[in-house]
């Protein structure tokens, strides 16, 4: 049996999504910027997708920009704002457990003379809004705190953090790559100024994402070229990707309560099945519905991962972007785990198509492997 429990790394494309995308690659193909009928058709698909995605997050149509994915959105948010507001200040606040897309964009800015404050999450994996408040200085231009952590799934109080930023006239960006399609999001109500999204975490295509930019915010492009995306993000529009992204998002938000209920049920079933194996949950109850990060006492995570792989079970140690590295997860270290504990932890994420039969197999195999390894 082959079991995929790594839906936080990426999800399979849904058939309904592919069906919606295909005509834009085979029938109404062309360049959305062309003025002929082919181009206009493509532009219409792009337009409708933008409208739909903007509506789903409570934004207006002209506040939603397509990008090449979550990584690009995060880089654009940080680097674009840093460049545009450098006359106001050069201080940026992020959290210690951001995705590498934010973390390394901030590091690149440090090299250019910006100052970055890294907020530490508590042991449950939550950023305290008052810590953000304390870190804001006169020259702070941007706060970037992720909505849902990609390794432990914990949900951050973005609404309060956003309101603190508003009161202090600081731009608030959130990386919502793991939140979109799993939680209700309203950017206006949640005081979010900028938000990064990605399609492949919600059963859409890889290589397309979005950045919500509140009207009135100045931001320099990081990709120069043509006049696409209101002259802010150059490059021939990925229309089939946008259409797929939009369809994938609609599928989720049309039935969000049910989808998240089923995910939670499966995730908790797996946890219950493993509970007696001397394990500890990393993170808290307030987390992504499909996410489970577990510390397996007295086992090496990478050995466990490899043994699971041999049994056909795909899980992850840390995020997909940093797996393969021998370093312990920066997320788990940030919430206070020791190096050894971090290395003995695994992330398992269930998805829409995970079956109980698969979970029973995982529980059986894990019990067998862990008992043997110990
Ligand atoms: C929280 C978070 N931010 C950003 C990204 C990067 O998104 P993408 O894979 O679309 O570049 C990911 C994906 O792993 C993520 O989980």
């Amino acid at each position: 049996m082959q079991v995929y429990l790594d839906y936080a790394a990426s999800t399979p494309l849904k058939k309904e999504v592919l069906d919606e995308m295909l005509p834009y690659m085979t029938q109404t193909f062309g360049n959305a910027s062309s003025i002929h009928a082919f181009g206009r058709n493509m532009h219409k698909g792009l337009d409708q997708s933008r409208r739909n995605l903007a509506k789903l997050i409570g934004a207006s149509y002209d506040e939603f920009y397509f990008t090449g994915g979550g990584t690009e959105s995060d880089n654009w948010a940080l680097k674009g704002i840093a460049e545009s507001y450098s006359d106001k200040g050069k201080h940026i606040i992020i959290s210690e457990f951001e995705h590498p897309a934010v973390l390394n964009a901030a590091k690149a800015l440090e090299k250019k003379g910006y100052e970055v404050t890294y907020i530490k999450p508590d042991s449950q994996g939550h950023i305290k809004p008052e810590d953000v408040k304390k870190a804001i200085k006169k020259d702070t231009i941007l706060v970037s705190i992720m909505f849902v952590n990609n390794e432990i799934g914990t949900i951050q109080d973005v609404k309060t953090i956003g309101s603190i930023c508003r009161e202090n006239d600081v731009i608030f960006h959130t990386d919502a790559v793991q939140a979109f399609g799993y939680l209700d999001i309203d950017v206006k109500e949640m005081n979010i100024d900028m938000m990064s999204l990605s399609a492949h975490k919600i059963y859409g295509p890889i290589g397309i994402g979005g950045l919500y930019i509140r009207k009135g915010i100045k931001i320099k492009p990081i990709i120069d070229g043509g006049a696409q995306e209101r002259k802010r993000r150059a490059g021939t529009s990925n229309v089939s990707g946008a259409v797929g992204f939009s369809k994938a998002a609609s599928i989720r938000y049309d039935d969000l309560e049910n989808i998240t209920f089923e995910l939670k049920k499966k995730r908790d079933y797996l946890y219950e099945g493993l509970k007696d194996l001397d394990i500890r949950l990393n993170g808290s109850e307030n987390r992504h519905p499909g996410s489970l990060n577990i510390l397996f006492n007295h086992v090496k995570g990478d050995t466990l991962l490899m043994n699971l792989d041999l049994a056909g079970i795909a899980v992850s140690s840390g995020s997909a972007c940093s797996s393969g590295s021998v370093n312990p997860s920066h997320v788990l270290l940030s919430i206070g785990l020791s190096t050894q504990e971090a290395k003995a932890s695994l992330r398992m994420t269930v998805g829409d198509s995970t079956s109980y039969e698969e979970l029973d197999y995982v529980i059986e195999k894990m019990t067998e492997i862990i008992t043997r390894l110990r």
Side-chain angles (χ1 to χ4, degrees):
M1 191 185 245
Q2 278 233 309
V3 185
Y4 183 79
L5 285 185
D6 205 10
Y7 289 86
S10 198
T11 56
L13 192 73
K14 281 208 187 265
K15 167 86 170 56
E16 307 95 291
V17 175
L18 179 65
D19 288 346
E20 202 88 357
M21 292 169 69
L22 274 176
Y24 287 93
M25 292 186 270
T26 54
Q27 292 161 20
T28 57
F29 58 88
N31 191 317
S33 303
S34 302
I35 51 170
H36 50 60
F38 285 79
R40 288 200 304 277
N41 253 330
M42 292 297 272
H43 196 266
K44 203 167 142 200
L46 189 67
D47 224 39
Q48 283 167 348
S49 307
R50 191 189 312 280
R51 269 181 212 288
N52 183 46
L53 285 160
K55 197 171 113 222
L56 291 174
I57 57 166
S60 70
Y61 159 82
D62 50 0
E63 292 176 314
F64 193 95
Y65 296 82
F66 286 109
T67 67
T71 300
E72 185 191 322
S73 300
D74 286 342
N75 269 269
W76 188 15
L78 268 79
K79 294 172 181 170
I81 291 299
E83 206 184 327
S84 301
Y85 289 85
S86 59
D87 50 341
K88 187 188 166 213
K90 287 193 151 188
H91 180 233
I92 291 165
I93 298 168
I94 69 168
S95 79
E96 264 184 23
F97 69 171
E98 291 297 315
H99 185 274
V102 167
L103 222 42
N104 290 333
K107 294 236 154 77
L109 289 170
E110 274 181 318
K111 287 200 184 109
K112 289 188 167 175
Y114 289 82
E115 184 199 349
V116 181
T117 298
Y118 299 85
I119 307 274
K120 200 176 177 53
D122 64 18
S123 60
Q124 301 268 294
H126 298 283
I127 297 292
K128 290 201 180 76
E130 58 267 32
D131 287 347
V132 175
K133 192 173 181 172
K134 275 186 234 153
I136 292 177
K137 305 192 295 181
K138 249 202 189 119
D139 62 342
T140 308
I141 50 172
L142 178 71
V143 168
S144 180
I145 303 288
M146 70 201 314
F147 205 133
V148 166
N149 184 274
N150 51 302
E151 289 188 34
I152 51 176
T154 49
I155 302 169
Q156 307 308 318
D157 184 0
V158 291
K159 187 175 175 180
T160 307
I161 296 170
S163 90
I164 289 168
C165 292
R166 280 278 150 86
E167 282 160 20
N168 289 277
D169 195 23
V170 172
I171 294 169
F172 174 49
H173 165 254
T174 186
D175 173 343
V177 166
Q178 296 284 346
F180 183 62
Y182 296 90
L183 303 173
D184 267 319
I185 302 178
D186 186 314
V187 288
K188 305 289 168 191
E189 197 205 300
M190 293 176 161
N191 312 305
I192 297 168
D193 294 317
M194 302 175 78
M195 184 166 80
S196 300
L197 307 173
S198 178
H200 75 100
K201 309 288 184 182
I202 59 165
Y203 306 82
I206 292 177
I208 180 115
L211 184 65
Y212 155 73
I213 307 174
R214 183 172 59 76
K215 230 175 269 169
I217 288 183
K218 292 186 290 177
I219 186 158
K220 291 254 163 66
I222 54 167
I223 298 175
D224 295 310
Q228 293 90 354
E229 299 298 306
R230 306 167 71 83
K231 298 191 181 155
R232 282 178 149 175
R233 196 276 185 185
T236 301
S237 303
N238 177 0
V239 180
S240 61
V243 167
F245 188 8
S246 168
K247 177 69 180 175
S250 283
I251 292 173
R252 304 200 81 67
Y253 282 104
D254 283 349
D255 196 20
L256 190 66
E257 213 175 305
N258 198 24
I259 288 174
T260 53
F261 176 79
E262 291 302 328
L263 284 177
K264 260 190 207 150
K265 226 167 74 179
K266 287 186 255 190
R267 177 196 75 185
D268 294 343
Y269 181 85
L270 177 59
Y271 184 66
E272 281 300 313
L274 300 174
K275 221 172 63 184
D276 295 332
L277 285 173
D278 186 17
I279 60 167
R280 196 180 82 200
L281 178 77
N282 294 321
S284 80
E285 286 309 318
N286 181 19
R287 69 184 196 277
H288 182 288
S291 164
L292 197 54
N293 193 309
I294 290 180
L295 161 62
F296 295 91
N297 288 309
H298 317 298
V299 182
K300 278 194 179 147
D302 51 357
T303 315
L304 179 55
L305 190 133
M306 276 186 297
N307 276 276
L308 288 169
D309 189 34
L310 287 174
I313 301 165
V315 300
S316 131
S317 59
S319 77
C321 306
S322 42
S323 60
S325 83
V326 289
N327 296 328
S329 148
H330 73 287
V331 171
L332 298 178
L333 294 182
S334 78
I335 62 167
L337 270 71
S338 67
T339 300
Q340 195 197 352
E341 286 173 331
K343 284 187 168 180
S345 297
L346 289 181
R347 175 183 77 177
M348 288 167 281
T349 40
V350 300
D352 295 358
S353 43
T354 304
S355 70
Y356 285 93
E357 193 193 353
E358 287 178 345
L359 294 176
D360 283 336
Y361 175 75
V362 173
I363 292 165
E364 184 197 317
K365 284 288 160 195
M366 274 201 137
T367 308
E368 209 177 284
I369 293 166
I370 289 170
T371 310
R372 178 160 44 83
L373 290 179
R374 278 179 184 155

